[in-house]
Amino acid sequence: MASSPFDEVVMRRALELASRGRGFVEPNPPVGAVVTRDGAVIGEGWHERFGGPHAEVAALRAAGERARGGTLYVTLEPCCHHGKTPPCTDAIRAAGVTRVVIATGDPFPLVAGRGIAALREAGIDVEVGVLAREAERLTAPFRTLVTRGRPWVIAKWAMSLDGRLTTAVGQGRWISSAESRGLVHDLRTRIDAIAVGIGTALADDPLLTPRPDDAADSGPRRPLRIVLDGRARLSPTSTLVRTAREAPVLVATGPDAPADRITMLEAAGCEVWRGADRDPAARTGALLAELGRRQATHLLVEGGTTLLAGMFAAGQVDEAWTFVAPVIIGGATIGMPPLPAGVRLTIEDVSFPGGDVFVRGTVH
């Protein structure tokens, strides 16, 4: 049976449900599911927390016996292996649905088409590809981790109308409006790690935690704070080092970092990761691979300009968040160093928080 406009309407609802799991289910992907029968919705669900029931099981439980003979819509291919939970394909067969509509396949090697095959072997009509592009975008961080072995990288910066990324040493964080900064703090609650270069760490002395940062309001995740600091120059009196026992800090150093500086950082509670390569771009790539081994799905890079330019040039950025404030600062432009080739984005959102212009897009 081919897909219909009704299929798209219901799948869009499943995608809306799936998005509720972002920040709670990682390193699993966010997934939503809807059960219908005779043109009516009879059950909905989404993967709410890592280790908890998958979306299909939640939706089928909500539908109960009414699911028999109905249609299950799900944003990602159902799993067919034992992990934290039993195979979803078993639950689907047991529920007695006669049709399953899937937005997109699962690249995870233990699934990767096997879930679809298992359902078809059970005599269930399976339709794949309804709103596939939207589903693939929603699960892009998970797909990047599975297929590339590294987290999805979001580059963020704020700038003036004349291209200044800082107003003065230590003041760059205040170019954007309070509303713009609120969007960034909300993002911080849904990611695994935040990174800055040592120049930004020394100039701005950032905290790099979501605000408010008390347990009740800070959101589902407590991101790892990372400083790319090839020679371990981060000061023991910096805010990051002083709070390292309260929220984790990783200092990514290079082969030439002095041993006594590393010892000092570790004694203060920081984790020190030592890259073997002297080339900063190669070392950053190795750090991304290390984060992938730790099952990190999202990395937010907040500066500075040298780090951002280097990652763009190395093809290590997947998404960009840019805030342009309605202010002209004047003086020599402090922007990113020139890139060998222009980086083009597919714009996904443009809005105006607090009078700023916020542009979000994915890198080609």
Side-chain angles (χ1 to χ4, degrees), residues 50-124:
F50 178 73
H54 287 189
E56 303 94 315
V57 172
L60 291 169
R61 285 176 179 172
E65 282 300 314
R66 295 177 298 166
R68 195 163 299 278
T71 297
L72 170 69
Y73 295 81
V74 61
T75 58
L76 188 69
E77 177 181 4
C79 66
C80 53
H81 65 289
H82 284 270
K84 293 284 185 181
T85 61
C88 288
T89 50
D90 290 354
I92 294 169
R93 288 195 297 262
V97 298
T98 56
R99 182 171 180 246
V100 176
V101 181
I102 301 168
T104 186
D106 186 340
F108 189 65
L110 293 179
V111 185
R114 293 180 176 87
I116 294 169
L119 295 175
R120 285 175 172 159
E121 288 170 4
I124 298 173

Side-chain angles (χ1 to χ4, degrees), residues 83 205 245 353:
D205 192 27
R245 300 191 189 280

Side-chain angles (χ1 to χ4, degrees), residues 76 144 266 301:
L76 188 69
T144 299
E266 291 177 334
V301 181

Side-chain angles (χ1 to χ4, degrees), residues 12-274:
R12 202 168 296 281
R13 172 58 179 168
L15 287 166
E16 292 173 359
L17 293 168
S19 67
R20 298 181 183 181
R22 290 183 298 180
F24 295 90
V25 302
E26 288 82 358
N28 286 349
V31 181
V34 177
V35 184
T36 68
R37 184 171 177 179
D38 299 326
V41 172
I42 58 174
E44 295 184 338
W46 69 95
H47 188 25
E48 297 185 22
R49 287 191 177 274
F50 178 73
H54 287 189
E56 303 94 315
V57 172
L60 291 169
R61 285 176 179 172
E65 282 300 314
R66 295 177 298 166
R68 195 163 299 278
T71 297
L72 170 69
Y73 295 81
V74 61
T75 58
L76 188 69
E77 177 181 4
C79 66
C80 53
H81 65 289
H82 284 270
K84 293 284 185 181
T85 61
C88 288
T89 50
D90 290 354
I92 294 169
R93 288 195 297 262
V97 298
T98 56
R99 182 171 180 246
V100 176
V101 181
I102 301 168
T104 186
D106 186 340
F108 189 65
L110 293 179
V111 185
R114 293 180 176 87
I116 294 169
L119 295 175
R120 285 175 172 159
E121 288 170 4
I124 298 173
D125 178 34
V126 179
E127 176 79 18
V128 183
V130 176
L131 300 186
R133 183 170 62 181
E134 291 88 338
E136 288 170 0
R137 175 63 184 92
L138 180 65
T139 56
F142 166 75
R143 293 173 181 276
T144 299
L145 179 61
V146 170
T147 62
R148 304 184 67 181
R150 67 162 177 83
W152 178 264
V153 176
I154 302 170
K156 169 263 171 184
W157 67 94
M159 60 188 288
S160 65
L161 284 173
D162 54 342
R164 293 289 294 270
L165 270 68
T166 57
T167 54
V169 172
Q171 297 300 313
R173 71 187 77 174
W174 304 122
I175 286 180
S176 58
S177 67
E179 291 84 351
S180 294
R181 297 195 299 275
L183 291 175
V184 175
H185 285 301
D186 178 67
L187 175 63
R188 287 178 176 182
T189 69
R190 295 183 280 108
I191 61 172
D192 299 284
I194 303 171
V196 295
I198 183 58
T200 296
L202 294 176
D204 290 349
D205 192 27
L207 180 60
L208 299 181
T209 59
R211 252 88 83 200
D213 59 1
D214 57 278
D217 298 323
S218 62
R221 306 186 84 76
R222 188 78 164 175
L224 173 66
R225 301 174 295 168
I226 300 173
V227 181
L228 283 81
D229 181 9
R231 299 191 62 84
R233 292 188 290 148
L234 189 63
S235 170
T237 62
S238 66
T239 299
L240 285 166
V241 175
R242 288 188 291 105
T243 60
R245 300 191 189 280
E246 302 166 17
V249 173
L250 183 148
V251 182
T253 68
D256 299 321
D260 60 332
R261 299 289 300 177
I262 291 175
T263 299
M264 177 275 294
L265 291 169
E266 291 177 334
C270 298
E271 177 187 358
V272 177
W273 175 87
R274 193 163 188 171

